[in-house]
Amino acid sequence: MAAPSRVSALLRLLALLALVCALVIRTARPPAPLAATAPATLFSGERAMVHVKEMAQRPHPIGSADAARVRAYVLAELGKLGVPAEVQEATGVGTRYQAVGRIHNVIARMPGTTPGGPVVMLMAHTDGVPAGPAAGDDASGSSVLLETLRALRAGPPLKHDVIALFTDGEEAGLLGAAAFVREHRWAKDVAAALNFEARGTTGRAFMFETGAGNLDLARVLRTAPDVSATSLMVTVYRTLPNDTDLSEIAQLGQPALNFAFADGVQRYHTTQDNVAQLNPGSIQHEGAQALAITRALANGPLPRPKTGDAVFFDFPVLGLVLYPESAARPLAIVSAVFVVIALIAIRRRERRWIRDLILGFLATVIATALSGGAVYLAGLGLTRLHATLSGAPGYSGVYALAIALLAITITVGCWALMRRWGSAPGTFAGTLVVWSVLTLLVTWKAPGASFLFVWPLLAATIAALLAARQDMISAVALWTATIVAAALLVPVVYSIGLILLGLTTGGGVVMGVLIPLLALLLAPHFDAVTRERRWRATLTLFAATILCFLIGAATVRPSLRHPVPSLIAYVADADAGDAWLVAPASLAKAGSWGASALGSTSLLMNPAEKRAGGDPPAWLTTVFGQELRTRVRSAPRIPITAPTATITADSTTVRGRTLTLRIVSASGTGYLEIRAAEGKVLAAAVDGRAIDSSRYRRALTKWDLEYDAPPDSGFALELTIPRDTKATLELITHTAGIGALPGIDLPSRPDDVVPVQSGDETMVYRRLTF
């Protein structure tokens, strides 16, 4: 009889591993792109990639010649489709960040059979960061819009108009979207909006944000193919300090959906965000949803009916499961009632059920806490280890496996200890109680996340009630509960750990907490798999954990897939005459490209420490702030053009002193920072547009503003300050690239070292008093 038992245990273990692997693959892998020869009414990822290749040839930040090139390409493609389009040129004034800029939005309107009136709006941004060609963020989104419009034109006419808004200046502070909402005549027509973004170069496209009252649009989303979406993502995103263009469109108060793929985040905003790294399948996944949802909305009633929020999640085979958020609390209560019924049934079968329940409860809590703490410490250790070895442990698959095994090892160890004194049914009851408490707490605090707990708990409790039968029905119930729990929790663990947050930050801790909860909910499998050899199983898992960590330490190194970020700036004081090369200390550690670029004579500048004579000047701290530790070295002065500010009007009223300044920077300036070093700013306006800070992400301690893509002729800044006072302003210009520096040869970057965000740049500082 031993052989069949051994075979049965092995088959059960293989089935569990196969289930987890299948769910990880489903979460990680986007669909294959449709060929360019696909029917005209379908979205083709290959056709969309043609647009990406044209747009993402070179970096194209706001105001650049390449931004104009991309804009001209989009206009030409819209012309080929026969979709009327126009360019909105305006000064965009952001409402989420202290940013303004000169923007050029491309806006196309495809008329329906009942033209005019409410419209469905598709959105993406055409600008990118200066550091890279922005194939993913967001040439991919712009290509989704163009290919979706083409497919819509190839099909039957839609009832309502469709607007395609290609915004400018998203990277600068959502400026194009802000200008559309504030000034464009079609903004009032928007009845539903869909935004398409990217935070990486591959992966499935998640629907991660909605407007308020999302039940109606979730029902529409359910009609799209192969959706990846959960109300958990929406709930979490609403608490984060993150924004896309949809944050400005939210002011219109209309229903909206936001889509993005986010795997390959280490290439985000770098030179590696290029066509070669971009996965056409990710565009296919995003575009197929864009097309289906646009057709449904444009042929449906507009404006959309008002509803409350929904709880929703995608499930294999079933697609998007959803129900009103108002049902979340009743479901949680039902699950708690089932747990009580299970406890009554266990009480009848187990003599020492109270002791066993307490053991199970404590083991679940302790395993979860120990695992979360151990993974946190492991993350700290990996960060320190790879600070010496280099490489990016936070997004490594082998380290993800090591962390998962670490969490399972701790869980199995706690379970083995618990089972030494407690029965299987009684101790499992303790786990159900923990789950029930968590379900009630989460449902009351964050109902959008409740599905993650209530459905696994219900399925596991029903399986526990049927376990005493020990027949085919009980086996089916157990495997049903296993599939439900794994299908809901495994994608969340994978997505948060390896895609969204990374292992060495919060993502690893989330894995460390959720894995024990999932494992102990599946504890009825443990006895069958270990065959009473619980400590041997624990030691085997521990050995596998150590092996994976060792493999990671030996193999995780910088690569094109996991590049090393770098950044360096040439900074000059226009009036004092000195200049410096500066890099963030975190990007200029010993042995790094940043350290070699600055040379052996560089100094660590820590604003929190007092400086001795001869150290870098105080104005550098002013430029980079009190919080940023930098490494600097003296550099030769090269020809620069300083920004100027000229008073064009100066008046005093009961409101205060109002200064109007004409600010001019050198041609080609990427952006200009303006900071009030001394004096209080009561109100401000740029190019005649008032600046409203009420929606800013952070409260202002001192007034400051960023003007992106400033015109060569300059711009008008109006400041109102208290009467009989002066204003001292600091002006800092940022221009892409660093010119030749006499006596300094900056080394070439290896292929796996990439500039990030703004890239290498020249900064000019000036302080003026008015």
Side-chain angles (χ1 to χ4, degrees):
M1 294 298 292
S5 177
R6 196 176 298 122
V7 171
S8 174
L10 179 60
L11 290 176
R12 185 185 294 259
L13 178 61
L14 291 175
L16 290 170
L17 292 175
L19 174 62
V20 171
C21 289
L23 291 169
V24 168
I25 291 171
R26 178 180 179 272
T27 305
R29 185 177 297 173
L34 292 186
T37 55
T41 55
L42 299 181
F43 186 99
S44 163
E46 285 193 5
R47 286 192 288 251
M49 279 297 293
V50 173
H51 302 308
V52 176
K53 291 174 182 176
E54 288 296 326
M55 290 184 277
Q57 295 177 22
R58 293 176 295 278
H60 44 277
I62 177 176
S64 66
D66 271 291
R69 173 186 60 81
V70 170
R71 184 164 60 250
Y73 175 79
V74 170
L75 286 167
E77 291 302 305
L78 292 170
K80 292 177 186 177
L81 295 175
V83 179
E86 61 182 57
V87 176
Q88 178 195 14
E89 183 175 358
T91 297
V93 180
T95 68
R96 303 300 274 169
Y97 303 95
Q98 302 93 297
V100 300
R102 200 66 187 164
I103 59 91
H104 300 79
N105 292 333
V106 175
I107 310 173
R109 184 161 182 160
M110 188 176 76
T113 56
T114 55
V119 303
V120 179
M121 185 168 74
L122 310 180
M123 300 170 56
H125 64 91
T126 57
D127 65 306
V129 297
D137 183 26
D138 191 28
S140 66
S142 296
S143 74
V144 164
L145 266 60
L146 289 172
E147 171 64 4
T148 298
L149 289 176
R150 185 211 57 75
L152 292 173
R153 294 283 286 176
L158 303 174
K159 179 180 178 181
H160 297 287
D161 295 0
V162 173
I163 287 177
L165 171 60
F166 299 83
T167 65
D168 190 15
E170 192 270 354
E171 300 292 359
L174 322 179
L175 304 181
F180 176 82
V181 170
R182 182 169 183 159
E183 299 183 18
H184 201 276
R185 65 189 184 282
W186 290 341
K188 62 178 174 36
D189 296 339
V190 175
L194 309 176
N195 188 51
F196 299 93
E197 266 284 3
R199 192 173 170 262
T201 57
T202 187
R204 293 174 69 83
F206 295 104
M207 195 293 294
F208 65 95
E209 182 188 13
T210 72
N214 57 35
L215 175 60
D216 173 65
L217 246 58
R219 288 169 175 156
V220 177
L221 179 65
R222 185 169 53 186
T223 66
D226 197 18
V227 170
S228 290
T230 71
S231 51
L232 169 66
M233 282 192 175
V234 174
T235 299
V236 172
Y237 191 82
R238 287 174 177 174
T239 69
L240 298 178
N242 296 7
D243 290 285
T244 68
D245 277 335
L246 208 61
S247 298
E248 293 288 357
I249 301 302
Q251 295 180 85
L252 299 176
Q254 298 300 329
L257 300 175
N258 209 351
F259 298 82
F261 50 90
D263 207 350
V265 68
Q266 288 177 292
R267 297 185 285 276
Y268 172 64
H269 284 183
T270 75
T271 53
Q272 289 301 307
D273 184 7
N274 56 34
V275 173
Q277 299 292 340
L278 183 62
N279 188 340
S282 300
I283 299 179
Q284 178 68 48
H285 193 219
E286 203 167 64
Q289 295 176 81
L291 180 59
I293 297 168
T294 303
R295 280 185 174 140
L297 290 173
N299 284 322
L302 292 180
R304 301 297 303 179
K306 300 294 184 182
T307 63
D309 278 338
V311 176
F312 56 89
F313 53 91
D314 60 280
F315 197 88
V317 180
L318 298 180
L320 193 69
V321 178
L322 65 92
Y323 47 90
E325 196 175 80
S326 58
R329 290 183 177 181
L331 281 170
I333 293 171
V334 168
S335 70
V337 170
F338 268 79
V339 170
V340 172
I341 295 171
L343 293 180
I344 293 172
I346 291 170
R347 175 179 175 273
R348 292 171 179 169
R349 299 198 304 265
E350 303 293 332
R351 284 192 311 119
R352 299 176 177 176
W353 71 279
I354 294 180
R355 184 201 65 177
D356 293 351
L357 185 150
I358 293 172
L359 283 172
F361 185 95
L362 291 176
T364 304
V365 172
I366 291 171
T368 302
L370 284 178
S371 177
V375 169
Y376 172 75
L377 293 176
L380 291 180
L382 291 177
T383 300
R384 293 180 180 178
L385 175 67
H386 284 276
T388 302
L389 297 178
S390 74
Y395 296 94
S396 162
V398 68
Y399 278 139
L401 179 57
I403 284 174
L405 286 171
L406 175 60
I408 294 172
T409 300
I410 292 171
T411 305
V412 172
C414 290
W415 167 79
L417 192 62
M418 167 187 70
R419 285 286 285 115
R420 183 176 180 180
W421 295 290
S423 68
T427 53
F428 187 63
T431 297
L432 293 180
V433 171
V434 173
W435 267 82
S436 184
V437 171
L438 287 174
T439 299
L440 292 170
L441 287 174
V442 170
T443 301
W444 255 255
K445 289 290 186 180
S450 61
F451 73 90
L452 198 63
F453 295 91
V454 68
W455 295 110
L457 177 60
L458 271 172
T461 306
I462 291 171
L465 285 168
L466 297 173
R469 297 172 59 100
Q470 296 186 347
D471 57 7
M472 182 61 69
I473 292 177
S474 64
V476 169
L478 175 58
W479 278 103
T480 300
T482 300
I483 292 170
V484 169
L488 291 178
L489 283 159
V490 169
V492 171
V493 168
Y494 178 85
S495 299
I496 293 178
L498 263 179
I499 298 177
L500 300 178
L501 296 182
L503 303 172
T504 53
T505 53
V509 176
V510 171
M511 290 179 66
V513 169
L514 290 182
I515 287 175
L517 289 173
L518 171 60
L520 288 171
L521 200 64
L522 306 183
H525 289 290
F526 286 5
D527 279 322
V529 171
T530 62
R531 299 170 62 245
E532 302 298 324
R533 297 172 180 174
R534 304 182 186 105
W535 291 112
R536 179 182 294 183
T538 304
L539 291 174
T540 302
L541 285 166
F542 181 71
T545 301
I546 297 300
L547 179 62
C548 286
F549 276 119
L550 291 175
I551 292 172
T555 60
V556 173
R557 295 293 184 272
S559 64
L560 291 180
R561 180 173 175 79
H562 301 289
V564 176
S566 63
L567 190 65
I568 193 169
Y570 174 85
V571 191
D573 186 326
D575 298 314
D578 58 332
W580 299 80
L581 282 175
V582 183
S586 61
L587 303 183
K589 296 177 181 177
S592 68
W593 177 88
S596 64
L598 292 177
S600 59
T601 61
S602 65
L603 302 171
L604 181 64
M605 188 174 75
N606 188 347
E609 298 174 358
K610 294 182 179 180
R611 299 180 186 81
D615 278 355
W619 66 264
L620 271 181
T621 299
T622 301
V623 170
F624 291 101
Q626 291 290 331
E627 297 81 17
L628 181 65
R629 297 173 74 247
T630 55
R631 187 162 285 279
V632 304
R633 67 168 289 184
S634 179
R637 185 66 178 262
I638 59 176
I640 56 173
T641 301
T644 62
T646 306
I647 297 177
T648 59
D650 188 350
S651 61
T652 300
T653 66
V654 292
R655 293 180 61 234
R657 180 187 176 199
T658 300
L659 278 170
T660 302
L661 305 173
R662 189 74 187 175
I663 299 180
V664 180
S665 57
S667 179
T669 297
Y671 65 97
L672 169 68
E673 291 182 77
I674 310 163
R675 303 174 183 173
E678 296 178 10
K680 183 179 181 180
V681 175
L682 304 176
V686 174
D687 293 337
R689 296 163 173 87
I691 296 174
D692 179 8
S693 62
S694 61
R695 295 186 73 238
Y696 279 1
R697 275 293 185 184
R698 63 179 178 88
L700 297 180
T701 53
K702 283 191 175 182
W703 184 88
D704 66 281
L705 187 69
E706 176 184 306
Y707 196 115
D708 288 83
D712 291 350
S713 59
F715 59 92
L717 173 65
E718 181 182 289
L719 299 176
T720 301
I721 61 177
R723 300 175 63 180
D724 303 321
T725 63
K726 292 185 177 182
T728 298
L729 300 181
E730 294 169 331
L731 308 181
I732 307 168
T733 61
H734 297 250
T735 306
I738 299 174
L741 302 175
I744 297 179
D745 292 321
L746 295 178
S748 299
R749 284 180 169 90
D751 290 340
D752 55 10
V753 176
V754 295
V756 295
Q757 298 291 350
S758 59
D760 297 344
E761 61 179 353
T762 296
M763 301 167 60
V764 180
Y765 169 81
R766 194 171 193 190
R767 185 181 174 105
L768 301 169
T769 299
F770 303 93

